[in-house]
Amino acid sequence: MSSSEELHKRRLAVVAKGVGSVVSAYVDHAGGGTLTDVDGREWIDFASGIAVTNVGNAAPKVVEAVRAQVERFTHTCFMVAPYESYVAVCEQLIELTPGTFEKRAALFNSGAEAVENAVKIARHATGRPAVVVFDHAYHGRTNLTMALTAKNMPYKHRFGPFAPEVYRAPMSYPLRDGGLSGAEAARRAVDVIEKQVGGSNVAAVLIEPIQGEGGFVVPAPGFLPAIAAWAKANGAVFIADEIQTGFGRTGQWFASEHEGLEPDLITTAKGMGGGLPIAGVAGRAELMDAVHAGGLGGTYGGNPVACAAALAAIETMRELDLNTAAQRIGATLTAALADTGPGVAEVRGRGAMIAIELVIPGTIEPDPTRTAAVSKACHEAGLLTLTCGTYGNVLRFLPPLVISDEDLNRGIDILRRALLT
Ligand SMILES: Cc1ncc(COP(=O)(O)O)c(C=O)c1O
């Protein structure tokens, strides 16, 4: 087998530069809380392929279900000849997403595609054009979702023009908004929406309950319910983008549950498929069913192999009680990072979605240089971590929810050493 170095050389000759990688070690196999590269080096996984392998890599039930499905059939296109597993995944989405109202669901391939479809549904159902999103938001890399995403580099730079009728409101970001309460931050956002867009023009308010790429920003308590209440009062669809936060990541099936939210529509992807590409939109039947037959879909959406993987992943989450596991991982990480020095302005997040924001000590000035250095030190010591944040100064930790205590603690030791030396 080729070494990582050889593979990297081959890659440079054929793979477009625009596709980056966090590390240049090439994976040979992975499972539980670790990855092993082609040079035989083991990595502790605090990334989960960006919050995807919640049930672990190559989770036994997922492997078994995928194997059985590929032997039966690999693709028919649900829009051509339907099959049971698509219906079963929609049943699971309807059961697991918050809200006791009547729901419907539809399946897609990626998070961005789910978000695009949620916006399509909201616009169609309301007959309105405007979509409200927030500072620091990340919703994907397609044309509409680039417009919905806040950050220019690397996501939007020179890729415009972007889709119109997208309006950005200020987010509740407790560390950086002068300590506004949730209610105050919501009033500030609503003021912008009402003055700049007008409530009656808003098809949808789209928000991540905890922002992912934007820096694991947890809004002040009360912000999300107040925004949801405004949407309801103004006839706008409240969409929770739970692509990163969903399926046990935050210690509940969906992060909306932490504040008792019942979003009109929820977008899901990532953790849902146990590593296979699948995404969904689930929500109020009257919105979902407003769209004419044939208006939603795509060749591969809800592919049978991905559906089999999703059903097995969800079964694994239930059997292993991964919501509780996420809470335990979060408590361990939070406690271990509490005393990591004055440059750590905040340890935040929920469940196994924890981050630290690094600043110049004594200020809240972002410190992206140190963030990159700590990240590099972690990688050199065999811990796979990711950075994020509008200012590039947030280190985020997303271990698989099946990580062993031993691997979690080994990872924490590396991280603490990188922060404290
Ligand atoms: C909150 C959120 N929305 C949308 C997306 C886009 O998902 P995908 O990369 O599957 O298109 C992501 C991906 O990181 C995300 O975190």
Side-chain angles (χ1 to χ4, degrees), residues 211-391:
Q211 291 183 321
E213 309 300 303
F216 283 23
V217 178
V218 186
F223 177 77
L224 293 168
I227 296 293
W230 180 88
K232 192 180 172 103
N234 286 271
V237 178
F238 181 75
I239 308 173
D241 180 346
E242 293 247 22
I243 285 161
Q244 190 152 162
T245 50
F247 285 97
R249 177 52 58 187
T250 71
Q252 298 284 349
W253 282 102
F254 291 94
S256 295
E257 294 169 62
H258 293 288
E259 286 208 77
L261 295 176
E262 294 189 346
D264 298 315
L265 299 178
I266 291 187
T267 55
T268 70
K270 292 192 183 274
M272 162 181 191
L276 271 82
I278 186 165
V281 179
R284 288 187 185 277
E286 66 272 23
L287 299 172
M288 298 290 297
D289 280 346
V291 179
H292 48 275
L296 304 175
T299 304
Y300 292 113
N303 165 274
V305 181
C307 284
L311 292 171
I314 293 166
E315 197 181 318
T316 302
M317 291 172 203
R318 287 186 203 272
E319 271 181 15
L320 302 182
D321 188 11
L322 293 186
N323 289 339
T324 303
Q327 291 163 22
R328 202 179 56 243
I329 291 166
T332 305
L333 270 168
T334 306
L337 295 169
D339 61 344
T340 36
V344 176
E346 197 168 54
V347 183
R348 61 174 180 251
R350 284 194 207 271
M353 185 173 178
I354 299 293
I356 53 177
E357 178 155 357
L358 299 183
V359 295
I360 310 290
T363 74
I364 58 159
E365 193 64 34
D367 194 346
T369 309
R370 179 159 180 245
T371 308
V374 172
S375 192
K376 186 161 173 266
C378 288
H379 298 164
E380 282 167 1
L383 174 66
L384 192 53
T385 53
L386 304 173
T387 58
C388 64
T390 297
Y391 313 103

Side-chain angles (χ1 to χ4, degrees), residues 50-52 109-115 137-142 145 149 207-213 241-245 267 269-270 278-279 353 396:
I50 324 187
V52 169
N109 301 294
S110 67
E113 208 189 333
V115 172
Y138 180 86
H139 298 292
R141 294 172 180 269
T142 56
T145 57
T149 289
I207 192 162
E208 300 152 87
I210 300 174
Q211 291 183 321
E213 309 300 303
D241 180 346
E242 293 247 22
I243 285 161
Q244 190 152 162
T245 50
T267 55
K270 292 192 183 274
I278 186 165
M353 185 173 178
R396 58 172 156 169

